[in-house]
Amino acid sequence: MKAQLIDGKRISAEIKAEAAEEAVALKAKGITPCLAVVLVGDDSASQVYVNNKKKACEAVGIRSVSHVLSGGTTEEALLELIAKLNADKDIHGILVQMPVPKQIDERKVILAIDPKKDVDCFHPVNVGNLHTGGEGFLPCTPAGIIELIKRSGHSIEGKQCVVIGRSNIVGKPVAMLLMQENGTVTICHSRTRNLAEICRGADIIVSAVGKVNTVTADMVKEGAILIDVGMNRNEAGKLCGDVDFENVKEIAGAITPVPGGVGPMTIAMLMKNCNIAAKIQNGLK
């Protein structure tokens, strides 16, 4: 294997350790960072994500509070709960696990959360701060991608960056963060023409489309950095990303594996955001 393997498990552990130190420092000032997690319904994948977040909080020293609601919960009832959590000064972060059942308007839920407690960074106020360089949170997965690149010893400044995918959760925000690091960014998507040609000019490729073999070896230039956000199953049922890992690793300069690359970073950055939220709400930031 030629490419440097970017170890998301190791880097996420570093960030969690830093978050644990920050939590200790906050507790010394009489502040216990607290995350409220709300799960509506019994989606098995969502239950796994929520449990992982609770375990991370426990490991880092952040208090967590869970609210598990039935799948038949009304939009009004969920919004009432969010209002109570907004008003609770002991709660610093609020995370409503998506997706929510179809009777609930996801956008109303996002708008209901106090921007100062929006540790997922989905509220338009925080999205606006991201785009204008204002104070606040950074979205967890995109911010984690930037940490993966920088903490593995690579600079983004002046690099040609290609982002494949234009979602509000990953594609758009990671493009903005790459620009803030002085990268030159091209966003590609399902209607992009000549995707392979565009990718061949990239120093950094971030693929976040959820499709097996979106990026193949013939699309990658020698020494490029590949960040694979995809979580897919191949024909054999094996977990894999968007990138043809086995072939691309022989050409790339650095690459993230799936699993063990971007995945662990999301929760690590969430822990960091919980501490930031506690600081903001206590006038420390």
Side-chain angles (χ1 to χ4, degrees):
M1 177 173 174
K2 176 187 174 183
Q4 170 199 6
L5 193 67
I6 299 177
D7 189 347
K9 291 182 180 179
R10 177 186 63 80
I11 295 173
S12 67
E14 288 178 5
I15 293 169
K16 286 179 183 177
E18 292 165 7
E21 290 180 7
E22 191 68 60
V24 168
L26 285 166
K27 287 175 184 177
K29 296 177 181 178
I31 303 163
T32 300
C34 181
L35 172 67
V37 179
V38 181
L39 174 63
V40 186
D42 55 2
D43 180 81
S44 57
S46 292
Q47 289 173 344
V48 170
Y49 294 144
V50 166
N51 285 334
N52 287 342
K53 288 163 186 174
K54 288 167 63 177
K55 289 177 184 177
C57 285
E58 184 177 349
V60 168
I62 292 172
R63 178 173 163 249
S64 68
V65 177
S66 296
H67 294 269
V68 180
L69 309 179
S70 73
T73 298
T74 64
E75 181 178 278
E76 181 182 12
L78 178 56
L79 295 179
E80 284 178 2
L81 173 60
I82 292 170
K84 289 178 182 178
L85 296 174
N86 282 339
D88 188 337
K89 293 183 179 180
D90 292 329
I91 301 290
H92 302 107
I94 301 171
L95 188 154
V96 179
Q97 185 65 47
M98 301 296 179
V100 289
K102 60 183 180 180
Q103 75 270 16
I104 298 171
D105 186 334
E106 185 175 299
R107 182 164 176 80
K108 285 184 181 179
V109 173
I110 291 169
L111 289 172
I113 297 172
D114 183 341
K116 291 180 181 178
K117 298 189 178 189
D118 169 41
V119 287
D120 259 340
C121 195
F122 289 160
H123 194 285
V125 168
N126 289 323
V127 174
N129 284 331
L130 168 65
H131 282 256
T132 58
E135 287 284 326
F137 309 108
L138 296 178
C140 298
T141 301
I145 290 168
I146 300 301
E147 292 294 332
L148 282 175
I149 296 170
K150 294 169 70 174
R151 292 188 187 227
S152 58
H154 302 282
S155 172
I156 298 168
E157 184 166 352
K159 300 290 177 62
Q160 295 290 332
C161 307
V162 169
V163 176
I164 309 174
R166 52 179 168 178
S167 73
N168 290 330
I169 296 174
V170 179
K172 291 176 184 176
V174 80
M176 185 58 59
L177 291 177
L178 287 165
M179 282 192 283
Q180 289 179 8
E181 295 290 334
N182 298 315
T184 300
V185 181
T186 301
I187 301 178
C188 298
H189 44 79
S190 60
R191 302 298 178 87
T192 297
R193 298 177 182 176
N194 303 321
L195 176 62
E197 182 180 341
I198 294 168
C199 287
R200 279 192 288 269
D203 303 303
I204 299 171
I205 299 174
V206 178
S207 184
V209 293
K211 183 180 178 182
V212 177
N213 288 343
T214 295
V215 181
T216 51
D218 62 304
M219 298 168 65
V220 178
K221 79 174 184 180
E222 191 85 17
I225 298 167
L226 275 292
I227 306 295
D228 192 346
V229 190
M231 291 288 282
N232 314 301
R233 296 279 176 183
N234 62 18
E235 292 179 354
K238 183 181 177 182
L239 188 65
C240 64
D242 292 348
V243 178
D244 179 7
F245 182 86
E246 291 302 321
N247 291 309
V248 170
K249 71 181 183 181
E250 302 301 329
I251 299 168
I255 190 169
T256 58
V258 176
V262 174
M265 297 299 294
T266 301
I267 291 180
M269 299 309 292
L270 175 64
M271 299 299 101
K272 182 175 181 178
N273 278 354
C274 288
N275 285 332
I276 293 171
K279 287 182 178 180
I280 289 172
Q281 290 159 54
N282 285 277
L284 299 178
K285 189 174 179 66

